[in-house]
């Protein structure tokens, strides 16, 4: 009878039910009924509760003790485990919640998904371990143990792929396996000298033996269906492949779709190889094959091809059988599309962002969300869909233990699935199913860019516009295109890198050129930007993933053109660090600021992910720092050229980035110091004092870091340890690797300058600055101290530095003597930077930025004892305003000079971005110059 409120049928008393309606739901399963009839005597051998490996091992031991041979015992064990899972997952029914749309499932219908998938995975691992040990004993007796040429034992690993590798195995799944052995060679032979065969033949026989133990159907069924089709060269390849042959295959023949398959790979047996760590050797060839060094958008096309093939195969299967179209795994919006969605994001970025490397789908969804590659709400919705679809998949398979993912057509079977999912009727269940699948399909379509684009080979529709081949396009460049753009493209006709491109990359390049030309015609981008794009692309043509990225993400292509057209320095930076353009894909880029805490946290997580795979060597740490630094500089640069940040905000963010890099580099470098005398948890008793632009938080693009290193450590080894540590740290910061460099380091402001110690005990540093003893600081060093701050060190050292700085800048001084010394120093600086041709140098000419800075330094050193508001390191602009407020400057002089200084910084910043001179011809900027000259005269020419 239909529910009057919804019009949906209520759960029927199903025709053909063999169990009464009052019996547990698990009793409906035809598979469970067979197991209970056949194995009633053995069922008590499996202890109560969720099946876990130790419980399964105990049950297997009992079955073997009862007289069953190994293969039969494993098969009976499987039947007992599956029966238990059906009971746990389907017999705990809860009341449904009725709504206006029918009914919704209560929370926790059945056991958690991971209870089922973990049990099936551990069953497979146990069975494979037993089969490997059993087969090896037999083969060793016949042929002796396999060994390498040097006599070292050779081993074979069972590599679980797909859901087995990810520990997500479903209840009636086959297991995708690849067998890899570590050493070629020959077996030792029998004691009588006979039976010796090659390792390759030995392991091939072992594969057949394992298959017989696991996969053959007997009177007790099978343990698991085994599929070896994912091995190198598929079914035509050898059953077992050596590690060296696998690596060669990856380099020469590995296909894009195989990277998705190997993403979830994991050695699952034998257990002794896993426990000993020898199986870790497989990571060597697998990781660089799956995760490329650069962002790899070429996988999108591979995914489209793979997905289309799967859809076509599913369509053929369902031809004449419409019921097969309702497949919760392979149909639109099914499990496979969730897996593809998360896997493509992992494969694209996992090379540079190791924290994305994980096998389980639900874990991967949260990681891509945390990385900002997917909204958290979307990831959560996809996770709910995955959980729902997997639980439906299990119920489909519980019915008859068939490897199917298609919803049953029998009304009673469908009603049972709905009921065990917690729904009161099929209508509500199917409505929920459709909702999840529509969400998944929508996200998958968004990921692949909607409808597939035409590649120039026809789109299957009459009248579809074809994209010209690249050669045809270059031979007949449209005359309406801008002249310089056409001239640059014409040079590509004979360009060796263009001619060497593969056909798919030539097609991408042709489409990119035409899209750029269209935007030129629309006025969206400038011709200068288009020319710089050509300059940027040419050196990168061998890295075809960049062409793929621009094709896959038109918004990135457009933003890249805008950035290239904005100024010369961004274009040069992008040529040096092309991988950063992926950041342009983020819609939030222009609305965010640098977050030091998040930056440090993400880098630590990235390193932890590398440590788990044994990749945290020193070179990797150096490159990790550089990639992260380049990305953050680029993010700030993109916001800068789009006028989303002021010059002061740019300087703040670049300074905060430098502090973060110093902190992380110090922490990591200390761990790599061989002769350190303190543990990792203690860390170095060490501080970094920043001067100059970093000290004043006025860092620009490409600025070097003026820093001084101090330590406070009573250990007798401290001087030697910290000297070695600082040399190593400077090398970490300045070394140019394949990923570029970080900063130039200037330590000339340390006590006694370049002739002094590279790292100084803090007490010696304090005495030097505070004029204690015969070796003391000069006035110009005290000028530098006005902009100094401690950017790294524990709270005690930071406080002590602040006390030293305060004592230095508030010390009693003769104002006239101080004035003479600062003016003399200003003249020396000016003499070192002559300006010719009557031009005004924004920084060094009279009335320039250095005049304002020296004036502020005089005010701080001469007046801060009586005016403590000048002690703080708050920047030149704020200090000028505070000095005027304190009555140290005439009304308007401080404010005008502050405004002029801000404008000169802005003009200098823009000039450097466009690689233009920072000298102008008067009367340009005359008002700003006059304001700073007035400040200079008030301070240094009071009687004039």
């Amino acid at each position: 009878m239909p529910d009057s409120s919804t019009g949906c049928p209520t759960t029927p008393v199903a025709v053909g039910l063999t169990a009464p309606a009052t019996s547990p739901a698990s009793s409906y399963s035809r598979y469970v009924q067979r197991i209970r009839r056949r194995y009633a005597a053995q069922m008590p051998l499996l202890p109560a509760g969720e099946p876990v490996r130790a419980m399964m091992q105990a049950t297997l031991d009992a079955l073997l003790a009862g007289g069953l041979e190994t293969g039969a015992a494993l098969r009976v064990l499987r039947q007992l485990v599956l029966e238990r899972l059906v009971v746990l997952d389907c017999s705990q029914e809860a009341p449904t919640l009725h709504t206006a749309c029918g009914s919704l499932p209560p929370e926790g219908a059945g056991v958690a998904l991971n209870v089922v998938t973990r049990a099936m995975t551990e069953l497979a691992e146990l069975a494979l371990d037993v089969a490997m040990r059993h087969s090896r004993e037999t083969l060793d007796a016949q042929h002796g143990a396999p060994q390498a040429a040097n006599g070292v034992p050779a081993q074979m690993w069972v590599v679980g792929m797909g859901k087995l590798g990810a520990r997500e195995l479903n209840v009636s799944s086959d297991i995708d396996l690849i067998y890899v052995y570590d050493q070629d060679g020959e077996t030792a032979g029998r004691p009588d000298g006979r039976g010796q065969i090659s390792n390759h033949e030995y392991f091939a026989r072992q594969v057949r033996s394992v298959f017989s133990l696991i996969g053959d159907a007997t009177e007790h069924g099978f343990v698991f269906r085994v599929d070896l089709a994912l091995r190198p060269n598929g079914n035509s390849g050898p059953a077992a492949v050596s590690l060296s042959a696998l690596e060669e295959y990856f380099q020469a023949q590995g296909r894009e779709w195989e990277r998705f398959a190997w993403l979830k790979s994991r050695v699952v047996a034998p257990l002794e190889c896993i426990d000993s760590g020898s199986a870790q050797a497989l990571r060597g060839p697998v990781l660089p094959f799956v995760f490329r060094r650069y962002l790899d958008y070429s996988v999108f096309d591979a995914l489209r091809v793979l997905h289309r093939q799967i859809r076509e195969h599913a369509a053929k299967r369902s031809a004449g059988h419409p019921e097969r179209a309702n497949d919760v795994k392979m149909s639109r919006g099914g499990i496979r599309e969730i897996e593809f969605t998360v896997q493509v994001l992992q494969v694209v970025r996992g090379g540079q962002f190791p924290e994305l490397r994980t096998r389980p789908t639900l874990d991967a969804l949260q990681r891509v969300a945390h990385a900002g590659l997917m909204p958290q709400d979307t990831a959560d919705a996809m996770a709910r869909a995955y959980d729902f679809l997997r639980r439906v998949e299990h119920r489909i398979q519980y019915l008859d233990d068939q490897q199917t993912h298609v919803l049953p057509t029998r009304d009673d079977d469908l009603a049972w699935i709905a009921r065990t999912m917690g729904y009161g009727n099929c209508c509500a269940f199917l409505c929920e199913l459709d909702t999840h699948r529509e969400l998944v399909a929508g996200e998958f379509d968004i990921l692949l860019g909607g409808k597939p684009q035409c590649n120039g080979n026809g789109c299957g529709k009459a009248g579809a516009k074809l994209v010209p081949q690249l050669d045809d396009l270059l031979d007949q460049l449209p005359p309406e295109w801008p002249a310089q753009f056409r001239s640059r493209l014409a040079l590509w006709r004979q360009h060796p890198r263009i001619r060497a491109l593969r056909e798919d990359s030539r097609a991408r390049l042709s489409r990119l050129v035409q899209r750029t030309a269209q935007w030129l015609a629309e006025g969206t981008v400038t011709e200068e930007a288009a020319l710089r794009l050509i300059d940027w692309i040419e050196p990168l043509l061998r890295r075809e993933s960049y062409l793929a990225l621009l094709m896959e993400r038109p918004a990135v292509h457009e933003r890249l053109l805008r950035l290239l057209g904005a100024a010369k320095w961004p274009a040069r930076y992008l040529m040096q660090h092309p991988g950063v353009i992926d950041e342009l894909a983020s819609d939030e880029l222009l609305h965010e600021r640098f977050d030091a805490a998040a930056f440090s946290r993400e880098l630590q997580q990235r390193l932890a992910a590398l440590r788990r795979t044994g990749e945290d060597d020193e070179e990797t740490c150096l490159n990790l720092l550089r990639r992260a630094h380049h990305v953050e500089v680029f993010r700030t640069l993109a916001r800068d050229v789009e006028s989303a940040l002021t010059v002061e905000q740019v300087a703040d963010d670049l300074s905060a980035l430098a502090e973060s890099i110093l902190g992380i580099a110090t922490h990591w470098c200390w761990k790599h110091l061989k002769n350190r005398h303190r543990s990792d948890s203690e860390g170095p008793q060490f501080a970094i004092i920043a001067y100059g632009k970093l000290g004043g938080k006025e860092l620009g693009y490409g600025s070097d870091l003026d820093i001084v290193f101090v330590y406070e450590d009573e250990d007798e080894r401290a001087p030697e340890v910290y000297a070695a540590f600082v040399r190593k740290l400077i090398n970490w910061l300045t070394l140019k690797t394949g990923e570029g460099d970080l900063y130039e380091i200037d330590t000339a402001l340390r006590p006694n300058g370049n002739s002094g110690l590279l790292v100084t005990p803090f007490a010696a540093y304090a005495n030097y600055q505070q004029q204690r003893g015969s070796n003391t600081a000069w006035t110009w060093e005290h000028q530098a101290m006005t902009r100094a701050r401690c950017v790294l060190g524990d709270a005690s050292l930071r406080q002590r530095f602040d006390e030293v700085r305060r004592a230095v800048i508030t010390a009693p001084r003769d104002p006239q003597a101080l004035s003479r010394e600062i003016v003399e120093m200003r003249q020396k600086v000016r003499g070192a930077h002559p300006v010719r041709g009557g031009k005004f140098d924004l920084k060094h000419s009279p009335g320039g930025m250095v005049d304002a800075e020296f004036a502020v330094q005089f005010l701080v050193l001469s007046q801060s004892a009586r005016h403590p508001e000048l002690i703080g390191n708050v920047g030149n602009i704020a200090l000028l305003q505070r000095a005027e407020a304190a009555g140290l400057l005439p009304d308007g002089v401080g404010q005008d000079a502050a405004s002029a200084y801000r404008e000169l910084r802005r003009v200098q910043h823009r000039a450097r971005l466009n690689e233009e001179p920072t000298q102008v011809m008067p009367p340009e900027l005359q008002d700003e110059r006059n304001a700073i000259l007035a400040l200079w005269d008030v301070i240094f020419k009071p009687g004039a």
Side-chain angles (χ1 to χ4, degrees):
M1 179 179 295
D3 186 320
S4 60
S5 65
T6 66
C8 295
T10 55
T11 305
V13 177
V15 177
L17 274 173
T18 55
T22 57
S23 66
S26 59
S27 300
Y28 178 83
S29 162
R30 292 175 286 275
Y31 168 69
V32 166
Q33 293 171 26
R34 293 196 301 271
I35 297 306
R36 289 173 178 173
R37 287 195 299 268
R38 177 72 188 272
Y39 299 107
Q42 289 81 18
M43 286 175 61
L45 295 177
L46 183 65
E50 300 172 1
V52 294
R53 183 161 181 164
M55 182 190 298
M56 296 181 212
Q57 181 67 63
T59 306
L60 178 63
D61 292 342
L63 290 168
L64 292 169
L68 289 177
E69 53 85 24
T70 301
L74 286 171
R75 284 160 175 77
V76 174
L77 174 64
R78 175 189 185 269
Q79 315 295 12
L80 302 184
V81 170
L82 260 68
E83 190 274 345
R84 173 68 52 78
L85 291 176
V86 180
V87 171
L88 291 172
D89 205 15
C90 298
S91 288
Q92 303 297 323
E93 294 186 62
T96 56
L97 307 175
H98 293 278
T99 71
C101 302
S103 59
L104 297 174
E107 292 294 326
V111 293
L113 174 64
N114 73 313
V115 170
V116 178
T117 55
R118 182 187 63 220
M120 292 307 301
T121 299
E122 291 184 354
L123 175 64
E125 291 169 348
L126 173 62
L128 287 166
D129 183 57
V130 169
M132 286 290 287
R133 285 190 280 110
H134 184 276
S135 60
R136 183 152 191 160
E137 290 171 2
T138 303
L139 286 166
D140 282 0
Q142 296 172 352
H143 305 289
Q147 54 190 14
N150 59 3
V152 174
Q155 300 172 323
M156 184 168 73
W157 311 310
V158 185
V159 183
M161 310 292 281
K163 287 185 168 58
L164 174 58
R167 297 183 173 90
E168 298 171 332
L169 210 57
N170 60 47
V171 291
S172 295
S173 176
D174 59 1
I175 51 176
D176 294 299
L177 302 178
I178 296 177
Y179 292 89
V180 180
Y181 59 92
D182 62 350
Q183 302 280 353
D184 282 309
E186 294 184 332
T187 63
R190 296 193 301 267
D192 62 6
R194 299 182 180 182
Q196 190 175 53
I197 58 175
S198 70
N199 288 355
H200 181 78
E201 175 61 23
Y202 176 98
F203 290 126
R205 294 184 183 186
Q206 188 175 18
V207 170
R208 291 193 291 271
S209 177
V210 170
F211 182 90
S212 178
L213 276 167
I214 298 291
D216 282 350
T218 70
E219 61 174 315
H220 297 292
F222 52 82
V223 188
F224 284 96
R225 305 174 187 89
V226 178
D227 190 340
L228 303 182
L230 290 177
R231 67 188 188 271
N233 297 305
N235 290 328
S236 63
V241 61
S242 70
L243 186 62
S244 60
L246 177 67
E247 185 168 14
E248 183 178 337
Y249 175 82
F250 284 157
Q251 293 174 352
Q253 302 179 56
R255 291 159 291 183
E256 293 293 337
W257 68 262
E258 289 178 288
R259 296 170 61 196
F260 291 97
W262 281 91
L263 171 65
K264 292 192 173 188
S265 64
R266 178 174 62 91
V267 175
V268 296
L271 184 60
E272 62 177 336
C273 293
I274 299 171
D275 290 344
S276 70
S278 65
Q280 297 291 332
L282 185 64
R283 289 175 171 171
V286 171
L287 284 175
F289 173 65
V290 176
F291 302 111
R292 303 293 164 82
R293 178 181 175 188
Y294 299 101
L295 296 170
D296 189 5
Y297 277 79
S298 59
V299 298
F300 279 88
D301 274 347
L303 181 60
R304 290 191 184 98
V305 171
L306 179 60
H307 189 251
R308 184 172 63 248
Q309 291 172 344
I310 291 171
R311 284 270 178 92
E312 289 171 353
H313 178 69
K316 289 177 183 177
R317 287 181 63 249
S318 61
H321 301 277
E323 71 279 0
R324 294 180 182 173
N326 211 350
D327 189 315
V328 298
K329 178 179 179 181
M330 309 299 283
S331 294
R332 184 174 185 272
I335 296 167
R336 181 55 53 85
E337 291 192 354
I338 300 175
E339 294 170 338
F340 277 170
T341 298
V342 70
Q343 285 172 8
V344 74
L345 295 172
Q346 289 179 284
V347 171
V348 166
R349 298 177 66 97
Q352 290 200 4
F353 301 95
E355 65 270 27
L356 297 177
R357 302 177 192 174
T358 186
R359 300 179 184 93
T361 302
L362 291 174
D363 183 35
L365 277 167
Q366 294 306 313
R367 294 195 187 200
V368 298
H370 181 74
L373 304 178
M374 178 185 291
Q376 186 63 55
D377 290 347
T378 300
D380 292 342
M382 294 280 277
R384 289 191 294 271
Y386 181 81
D387 182 86
F388 181 91
L389 292 170
R390 289 298 309 274
R391 291 191 295 119
V392 173
E393 175 189 47
H394 287 159
R395 281 153 177 77
I396 293 170
Q397 295 171 352
Y398 288 152
L399 287 167
D400 296 293
D401 189 27
Q402 294 296 308
Q403 189 186 3
T404 179
H405 315 277
V406 178
L407 283 176
T409 54
R410 286 176 48 170
D411 288 346
D412 52 344
D413 285 351
L414 189 61
W416 179 79
I417 290 174
R419 183 160 60 99
T420 57
M421 288 288 290
Y423 292 86
N425 57 62
C426 294
C427 182
F429 163 68
L430 293 173
C431 178
E432 184 79 1
L433 175 64
D434 287 345
T435 300
H436 285 303
R437 289 171 61 178
E438 282 302 313
L439 170 95
V440 171
E443 291 301 322
F444 186 73
D445 289 344
I446 290 171
L447 178 73
L448 294 188
K451 297 180 179 179
Q453 296 179 341
C454 178
N455 291 327
N457 300 318
C459 297
K461 293 184 179 181
K465 183 178 179 180
L466 299 180
V467 176
Q469 295 292 329
L470 183 62
D471 290 343
D472 295 338
L473 179 64
L474 295 178
D475 286 340
Q476 299 180 8
L477 292 166
E480 64 272 16
W481 288 7
Q484 287 182 285
F485 184 57
R486 281 190 292 112
S487 297
R488 285 288 283 108
L489 289 173
L491 298 177
W492 279 5
R493 293 169 186 157
Q494 301 301 321
H495 199 297
R497 286 179 178 164
I498 299 291
R499 297 170 72 88
L501 284 176
R502 297 186 309 177
E503 195 56 40
D504 56 347
S505 293
R506 295 171 69 84
R508 288 188 186 117
L509 189 56
S510 179
R511 295 199 297 273
L512 282 173
V513 168
Q514 292 197 89
R515 188 197 285 164
T516 303
Q518 178 184 341
W519 289 340
L520 276 169
E522 295 170 353
T524 306
V525 300
T526 65
E527 186 176 11
E528 182 67 28
L531 295 174
R532 288 175 181 165
L533 178 67
I534 294 173
D535 292 336
W536 180 80
I537 281 180
E538 282 182 354
L540 300 172
L541 287 171
R542 289 185 182 140
R543 301 182 192 173
E544 297 175 356
S545 60
Y546 290 115
L547 296 178
L549 166 58
L550 296 179
M551 272 314 304
E552 293 293 341
R553 297 288 186 262
V556 173
H557 182 193
E558 183 178 359
R559 288 172 182 169
L560 174 61
L561 280 163
R562 283 210 312 270
L563 196 62
L564 291 172
K568 291 180 182 178
W569 197 85
R572 189 181 305 279
Y573 192 81
L574 280 164
M575 293 183 73
Q576 293 173 337
H577 311 293
V580 299
I581 66 166
D582 186 62
E583 298 303 314
L584 294 174
S586 171
D587 291 331
E588 300 301 317
L589 173 67
L590 299 182
H591 309 295
E592 297 173 336
R593 292 282 302 275
F594 174 69
D595 184 333
F599 177 78
S600 298
R601 184 170 58 250
E602 288 171 9
L603 265 180
Q604 297 293 359
Q605 290 171 349
R606 209 159 291 160
L607 182 66
L610 289 169
R611 190 176 294 119
R612 286 194 292 271
T613 56
E615 298 174 272
D616 59 330
D617 57 272
E618 192 162 326
E619 182 181 2
T620 299
C621 291
L622 293 174
N623 287 329
L624 193 58
L625 281 170
R626 281 151 177 77
R627 280 196 296 269
H629 173 264
H630 301 333
V631 164
E632 287 301 335
V633 169
F634 178 71
R635 286 173 175 167
T636 300
L637 180 61
R639 296 166 191 143
D640 185 9
V641 298
E642 293 282 358
S643 300
L645 299 177
T646 65
V647 174
E648 289 83 1
Q649 288 173 324
V650 170
D652 285 345
D653 287 0
L654 292 177
S655 300
L657 172 61
E659 288 182 53
S660 297
I661 290 290
L662 286 173
I664 297 166
T666 297
H667 179 62
W668 291 1
C669 183
W670 180 257
K671 288 178 178 290
H672 285 270
L673 189 67
K674 293 181 180 178
N675 297 320
R676 64 183 186 272
H677 63 298
R678 290 181 176 274
S679 66
D680 290 347
S681 59
E682 289 178 310
Q685 297 298 305
F686 171 83
I688 297 178
I689 299 165
Y691 289 82
K693 291 189 179 300
L694 177 58
K697 296 186 180 179
E698 294 181 353
L699 216 60
Y701 303 113
S703 294
D704 59 4
L705 305 184
D706 294 299
I707 52 180
V708 170
F709 303 98
V710 297
Y711 70 91
E712 186 169 53
D713 193 324
E714 298 301 323
D715 192 288
E716 62 181 10
R717 296 164 292 173
E720 181 181 347
V721 170
Y722 287 111
F725 174 51
V726 167
R727 286 194 296 270
K728 187 178 187 70
L729 179 58
I730 291 175
N731 186 60
W732 270 48
L733 295 168
T734 59
L735 182 68
K736 188 177 289 294
T737 73
E739 296 290 342
D741 54 11
L742 288 170
Y743 297 100
E744 290 298 320
I745 302 299
D746 189 340
T747 61
L749 285 169
R750 67 186 187 269
N752 298 308
N754 290 329
S755 62
L757 296 173
L758 195 57
V759 57
T760 309
F762 186 83
Y765 171 83
N767 290 337
Y768 180 83
Q769 293 291 348
Q770 294 177 272
Q771 310 289 309
R772 295 172 183 161
S774 58
N775 182 31
T776 59
W778 296 77
T779 298
W780 65 266
E781 292 177 281
H782 288 172
Q783 288 179 248
M785 182 66 90
T786 64
R787 304 179 73 189
R789 60 193 179 94
C790 185
V791 294
L792 183 142
D794 62 26
S796 173
L797 272 173
R798 287 175 183 264
Q799 181 179 351
R800 291 187 61 193
F801 167 76
D802 288 341
E803 291 169 356
V804 170
R805 178 182 175 274
R806 183 185 186 96
V808 167
I809 63 178
T810 60
R813 288 180 175 88
D814 179 350
Q816 292 183 344
L818 178 64
S819 174
R820 283 195 304 271
E821 290 185 60
I822 290 180
V823 170
E824 288 174 4
M825 179 55 66
R826 178 69 188 96
Q827 290 170 348
K828 288 181 181 179
V829 173
R830 187 174 298 158
H833 299 86
V835 181
R836 297 179 176 86
K839 294 181 179 179
F840 171 58
D841 186 295
L842 302 178
K843 184 174 182 180
H844 293 291
S845 289
M849 296 166 63
V850 175
D851 277 2
E853 292 165 0
F854 273 49
V856 169
Q857 290 163 14
F858 174 81
L859 288 169
V860 171
L861 292 175
S862 64
Q863 302 294 331
S864 58
R866 290 183 293 126
H867 296 279
E869 63 268 34
L870 300 181
I871 294 174
N873 186 353
V874 294
N876 292 305
I877 292 172
L879 287 170
L880 284 168
Q881 293 168 336
R882 291 184 181 186
E884 182 177 318
L888 300 174
L889 296 172
D891 289 347
V893 170
Q895 184 60 55
D896 289 349
S899 299
Y901 186 79
R902 178 183 284 115
E903 178 62 12
L904 292 180
R905 280 187 66 190
R906 188 193 67 78
V907 174
Q908 179 193 56
H909 183 72
R910 292 297 157 193
R912 287 179 173 172
L913 275 181
N914 211 34
E915 298 183 346
E916 295 173 345
T918 55
Q919 297 178 350
V920 300
M921 286 300 296
E924 190 175 351
L925 298 173
Q926 190 63 52
D927 289 344
E928 286 76 17
R929 185 180 190 183
N930 289 340
I932 292 177
L933 285 172
L935 171 69
W936 182 269
D937 290 344
V938 165
I939 291 175
F940 295 108
K941 300 179 182 179

